[in-house]
Short mmCIF file of all heavy atoms in Angstrom, two decimals:
data_model
loop_
_atom_site.label_atom_id
_atom_site.label_comp_id
_atom_site.label_asym_id
_atom_site.label_seq_id
_atom_site.Cartn_x
_atom_site.Cartn_y
_atom_site.Cartn_z
N VAL A 88 3.48 -17.70 -0.61
CA VAL A 88 4.06 -17.08 0.59
C VAL A 88 4.77 -18.16 1.39
O VAL A 88 4.20 -19.23 1.64
CB VAL A 88 2.98 -16.38 1.44
CG1 VAL A 88 3.54 -15.94 2.79
CG2 VAL A 88 2.41 -15.19 0.69
N ASN A 92 10.80 -20.84 9.58
CA ASN A 92 10.86 -21.02 11.04
C ASN A 92 9.86 -20.18 11.82
O ASN A 92 10.24 -19.55 12.82
CB ASN A 92 12.29 -20.68 11.55
CG ASN A 92 13.35 -21.50 10.83
OD1 ASN A 92 14.12 -20.97 10.04
ND2 ASN A 92 13.36 -22.79 11.09
N GLN A 94 7.29 -19.11 14.56
CA GLN A 94 7.21 -19.58 15.94
C GLN A 94 5.77 -19.70 16.41
O GLN A 94 5.32 -20.78 16.78
CB GLN A 94 8.02 -18.65 16.84
CG GLN A 94 9.50 -18.65 16.44
CD GLN A 94 10.32 -17.63 17.22
OE1 GLN A 94 9.79 -16.80 17.94
NE2 GLN A 94 11.64 -17.70 17.07
N LEU A 107 -5.42 -14.37 2.19
CA LEU A 107 -6.69 -14.60 1.51
C LEU A 107 -7.48 -13.30 1.34
O LEU A 107 -8.21 -13.15 0.36
CB LEU A 107 -7.52 -15.65 2.26
CG LEU A 107 -8.61 -16.32 1.42
CD1 LEU A 107 -8.04 -16.97 0.16
CD2 LEU A 107 -9.39 -17.35 2.23
N ARG A 115 3.40 -21.84 2.39
CA ARG A 115 4.37 -22.89 2.71
C ARG A 115 5.11 -22.52 4.00
O ARG A 115 5.43 -21.36 4.22
CB ARG A 115 5.38 -23.05 1.57
CG ARG A 115 4.72 -23.41 0.25
CD ARG A 115 5.75 -23.59 -0.87
NE ARG A 115 5.07 -23.87 -2.13
CZ ARG A 115 5.69 -24.09 -3.28
NH1 ARG A 115 7.02 -24.03 -3.34
NH2 ARG A 115 5.01 -24.35 -4.38
N PRO A 124 -0.41 -29.64 11.72
CA PRO A 124 -1.24 -28.44 11.89
C PRO A 124 -1.16 -27.84 13.28
O PRO A 124 -0.63 -28.46 14.20
CB PRO A 124 -2.65 -28.96 11.60
CG PRO A 124 -2.63 -30.41 11.85
CD PRO A 124 -1.21 -30.86 11.57
N GLU A 126 -3.51 -25.53 16.06
CA GLU A 126 -4.87 -25.08 16.35
C GLU A 126 -4.97 -23.55 16.46
O GLU A 126 -5.95 -22.96 16.02
CB GLU A 126 -5.30 -25.72 17.68
CG GLU A 126 -6.80 -25.94 17.79
CD GLU A 126 -7.11 -26.72 19.06
OE1 GLU A 126 -6.61 -27.87 19.18
OE2 GLU A 126 -7.81 -26.17 19.91
N ALA A 133 -9.33 -16.94 11.02
CA ALA A 133 -10.71 -16.50 10.78
C ALA A 133 -11.34 -17.21 9.58
O ALA A 133 -12.07 -16.60 8.79
CB ALA A 133 -10.75 -14.98 10.59
N LEU A 136 -7.67 -20.54 6.61
CA LEU A 136 -6.96 -21.81 6.40
C LEU A 136 -7.88 -22.89 5.85
O LEU A 136 -7.45 -23.73 5.05
CB LEU A 136 -6.27 -22.27 7.70
CG LEU A 136 -4.96 -21.54 8.02
CD1 LEU A 136 -4.50 -21.84 9.44
CD2 LEU A 136 -3.86 -21.93 7.01
N LEU A 155 10.18 -22.80 -7.61
CA LEU A 155 9.89 -21.39 -7.90
C LEU A 155 11.02 -20.75 -8.70
O LEU A 155 12.13 -21.27 -8.73
CB LEU A 155 9.67 -20.62 -6.59
CG LEU A 155 8.58 -21.20 -5.67
CD1 LEU A 155 8.46 -20.36 -4.40
CD2 LEU A 155 7.25 -21.29 -6.38
N ASP A 167 24.78 -7.41 4.14
CA ASP A 167 25.97 -7.12 3.36
C ASP A 167 25.99 -8.00 2.12
O ASP A 167 26.88 -8.81 1.92
CB ASP A 167 27.22 -7.37 4.23
CG ASP A 167 28.45 -6.77 3.56
OD1 ASP A 167 28.27 -5.93 2.65
OD2 ASP A 167 29.57 -7.13 3.95
N VAL A 172 17.19 -3.87 -3.66
CA VAL A 172 16.37 -3.63 -2.47
C VAL A 172 15.12 -2.87 -2.92
O VAL A 172 15.20 -1.78 -3.47
CB VAL A 172 17.12 -2.80 -1.42
CG1 VAL A 172 16.24 -2.54 -0.21
CG2 VAL A 172 18.39 -3.52 -1.00
N ASP A 181 6.98 -5.71 -9.72
CA ASP A 181 7.93 -6.64 -10.33
C ASP A 181 7.33 -8.05 -10.36
O ASP A 181 7.34 -8.72 -11.40
CB ASP A 181 9.22 -6.61 -9.50
CG ASP A 181 10.39 -7.25 -10.22
OD1 ASP A 181 10.78 -6.74 -11.28
OD2 ASP A 181 10.88 -8.28 -9.73
N GLN A 184 4.53 -8.56 -12.91
CA GLN A 184 5.02 -8.72 -14.29
C GLN A 184 5.57 -10.11 -14.52
O GLN A 184 5.36 -10.72 -15.56
CB GLN A 184 6.10 -7.68 -14.58
CG GLN A 184 5.51 -6.30 -14.83
CD GLN A 184 6.58 -5.20 -14.83
OE1 GLN A 184 7.75 -5.48 -14.54
NE2 GLN A 184 6.18 -3.99 -15.12
N VAL A 192 6.57 -17.24 -8.48
CA VAL A 192 7.10 -16.20 -7.60
C VAL A 192 6.85 -16.55 -6.14
O VAL A 192 5.79 -17.09 -5.81
CB VAL A 192 6.43 -14.85 -7.95
CG1 VAL A 192 6.62 -13.83 -6.84
CG2 VAL A 192 6.94 -14.32 -9.28
N PHE A 196 9.25 -14.72 4.24
CA PHE A 196 9.26 -13.95 5.49
C PHE A 196 9.97 -14.76 6.56
O PHE A 196 9.74 -15.97 6.68
CB PHE A 196 7.83 -13.63 5.95
CG PHE A 196 7.06 -12.77 4.99
CD1 PHE A 196 6.42 -13.33 3.89
CD2 PHE A 196 7.00 -11.39 5.16
CE1 PHE A 196 5.71 -12.54 2.99
CE2 PHE A 196 6.29 -10.59 4.27
CZ PHE A 196 5.65 -11.17 3.18
N ASP A 222 11.70 5.77 13.87
CA ASP A 222 11.66 5.79 15.34
C ASP A 222 10.71 4.75 15.93
O ASP A 222 10.63 4.61 17.15
CB ASP A 222 11.22 7.18 15.84
CG ASP A 222 12.23 8.24 15.46
OD1 ASP A 222 13.43 7.91 15.39
OD2 ASP A 222 11.82 9.38 15.21
N SER A 224 9.60 1.24 14.20
CA SER A 224 9.54 0.52 12.93
C SER A 224 9.07 -0.92 13.03
O SER A 224 8.87 -1.57 12.02
CB SER A 224 10.91 0.57 12.26
OG SER A 224 11.85 -0.07 13.09
N ALA A 236 0.78 -8.36 0.68
CA ALA A 236 -0.36 -8.91 -0.07
C ALA A 236 -1.25 -7.79 -0.60
O ALA A 236 -1.74 -7.86 -1.74
CB ALA A 236 -1.16 -9.85 0.83
N GLU A 265 -28.58 24.03 -15.90
CA GLU A 265 -28.68 25.42 -16.37
C GLU A 265 -30.05 26.01 -16.04
O GLU A 265 -30.17 27.19 -15.72
CB GLU A 265 -28.40 25.52 -17.88
CG GLU A 265 -26.96 25.18 -18.28
CD GLU A 265 -25.94 26.11 -17.60
OE1 GLU A 265 -26.29 27.21 -17.16
OE2 GLU A 265 -24.76 25.68 -17.50
N HIS A 266 -31.04 25.17 -16.11
CA HIS A 266 -32.40 25.60 -15.77
C HIS A 266 -32.45 26.07 -14.32
O HIS A 266 -32.99 27.13 -13.99
CB HIS A 266 -33.35 24.41 -15.99
CG HIS A 266 -34.79 24.78 -15.90
ND1 HIS A 266 -35.64 24.23 -14.96
CD2 HIS A 266 -35.54 25.65 -16.61
CE1 HIS A 266 -36.86 24.75 -15.11
NE2 HIS A 266 -36.82 25.62 -16.11
N PHE A 267 -31.84 25.27 -13.45
CA PHE A 267 -31.75 25.64 -12.03
C PHE A 267 -30.93 26.91 -11.85
O PHE A 267 -31.33 27.84 -11.13
CB PHE A 267 -31.12 24.49 -11.24
CG PHE A 267 -30.36 24.93 -10.02
CD1 PHE A 267 -31.03 25.38 -8.88
CD2 PHE A 267 -28.96 24.93 -10.01
CE1 PHE A 267 -30.32 25.81 -7.76
CE2 PHE A 267 -28.25 25.36 -8.90
CZ PHE A 267 -28.93 25.80 -7.77
N GLY A 279 -31.76 41.57 -4.81
CA GLY A 279 -30.75 42.60 -4.63
C GLY A 279 -29.37 42.07 -4.27
O GLY A 279 -28.56 42.77 -3.66
N GLU A 284 -23.60 45.89 -10.65
CA GLU A 284 -23.84 45.09 -11.85
C GLU A 284 -22.53 44.61 -12.47
O GLU A 284 -22.47 43.53 -13.02
CB GLU A 284 -24.65 45.92 -12.85
CG GLU A 284 -25.25 45.11 -14.01
CD GLU A 284 -26.19 44.01 -13.51
OE1 GLU A 284 -26.80 44.15 -12.41
OE2 GLU A 284 -26.29 42.97 -14.20
N ARG A 287 -21.38 41.26 -11.25
CA ARG A 287 -22.29 40.14 -11.45
C ARG A 287 -21.65 38.93 -12.15
O ARG A 287 -21.76 37.80 -11.67
CB ARG A 287 -23.52 40.64 -12.23
CG ARG A 287 -24.57 39.57 -12.46
CD ARG A 287 -25.87 40.25 -12.88
NE ARG A 287 -26.87 39.29 -13.32
CZ ARG A 287 -28.18 39.56 -13.35
NH1 ARG A 287 -28.61 40.75 -12.97
NH2 ARG A 287 -29.04 38.67 -13.77
N ILE A 297 -19.07 26.49 -7.24
CA ILE A 297 -19.48 25.66 -6.09
C ILE A 297 -20.25 24.44 -6.57
O ILE A 297 -20.02 23.32 -6.13
CB ILE A 297 -20.37 26.48 -5.12
CG1 ILE A 297 -19.57 27.63 -4.51
CG2 ILE A 297 -20.97 25.56 -4.04
CD1 ILE A 297 -20.44 28.59 -3.71
N GLN A 306 -31.23 14.18 -9.06
CA GLN A 306 -32.06 14.33 -7.86
C GLN A 306 -31.63 15.56 -7.05
O GLN A 306 -32.45 16.29 -6.52
CB GLN A 306 -31.94 13.06 -7.02
CG GLN A 306 -32.68 13.09 -5.69
CD GLN A 306 -34.18 13.37 -5.89
OE1 GLN A 306 -34.80 12.78 -6.76
NE2 GLN A 306 -34.73 14.28 -5.11
N LEU A 311 -32.24 21.21 -5.08
CA LEU A 311 -31.84 22.63 -5.05
C LEU A 311 -32.98 23.53 -5.53
O LEU A 311 -33.18 24.62 -4.99
CB LEU A 311 -30.58 22.83 -5.90
CG LEU A 311 -29.31 22.25 -5.31
CD1 LEU A 311 -28.17 22.31 -6.32
CD2 LEU A 311 -28.91 23.02 -4.05
N LEU A 318 -36.89 28.95 0.12
CA LEU A 318 -36.23 30.15 0.64
C LEU A 318 -36.95 31.42 0.20
O LEU A 318 -37.05 32.38 0.98
CB LEU A 318 -34.77 30.20 0.19
CG LEU A 318 -33.86 29.13 0.81
CD1 LEU A 318 -32.45 29.25 0.25
CD2 LEU A 318 -33.84 29.25 2.33
#
Side-chain angles (χ1 to χ4, degrees):
Chain A
V88 171
N92 305 109
Q94 298 174 351
L107 200 56
R115 301 181 182 180
E126 209 173 300
L136 281 168
L155 304 180
D167 193 17
V172 179
D181 194 63
Q184 283 168 355
V192 164
F196 297 83
D222 296 329
S224 61
E265 293 301 339
H266 190 241
F267 151 74
E284 193 59 28
R287 182 165 172 159
I297 295 172
Q306 176 58 45
L311 289 171
L318 292 178

